[in-house]
Amino acid sequence: MTNNELIEKLKGIIAPYIQDEAAFENLNEDTDFVKDLKINSANLVDIILDIEDEFDIRLENEDMEKMLDVKSAMAIVNAKLDA
């Protein structure tokens, strides 16, 4: 899966939870879920669960703690898919 394909899948997962539409429109690898998209911690948990379902992976607590921006989410998903 290419980075662009992964970003598009993540955008579909994140879309229901965003609070900042302009930041979402400009989403890239450096976009922070909390600071840029204004996603609260409860919704961040929902996003993580949705990522697990979408990619059929299991995220550990340390993965969840690191998944604060698009770049880290991509790295974690790619690592799990390659495992």
Side-chain angles (χ1 to χ4, degrees):
M1 177 177 313
T2 68
N3 280 350
N4 285 341
E5 290 171 334
L6 184 50
I7 286 175
E8 287 305 311
K9 281 195 171 215
L10 289 173
K11 281 180 89 169
I13 293 168
I14 297 165
Y17 305 104
I18 61 155
Q19 300 298 317
D20 188 330
E21 188 70 38
F24 181 70
E25 293 299 322
N26 296 312
L27 185 136
N28 60 50
E29 290 184 23
D30 296 319
T31 301
D32 185 283
F33 294 132
V34 176
K35 293 177 191 162
D36 297 325
L37 299 176
K38 312 290 189 252
I39 295 171
N40 66 39
S41 58
N43 285 341
L44 198 51
V45 171
D46 291 332
I47 289 170
I48 289 167
L49 295 173
D50 292 347
I51 288 172
E52 286 183 324
D53 290 343
E54 174 69 29
F55 295 101
D56 195 28
I57 57 176
R58 176 80 177 111
L59 298 172
E60 305 303 326
N61 285 339
E62 61 264 13
D63 298 324
M64 294 179 204
E65 291 168 6
K66 294 176 190 171
M67 199 175 287
L68 300 174
D69 55 35
V70 173
K71 186 180 291 185
S72 60
M74 292 172 63
I76 292 166
V77 168
N78 280 328
K80 294 291 183 178
L81 291 174
D82 291 342

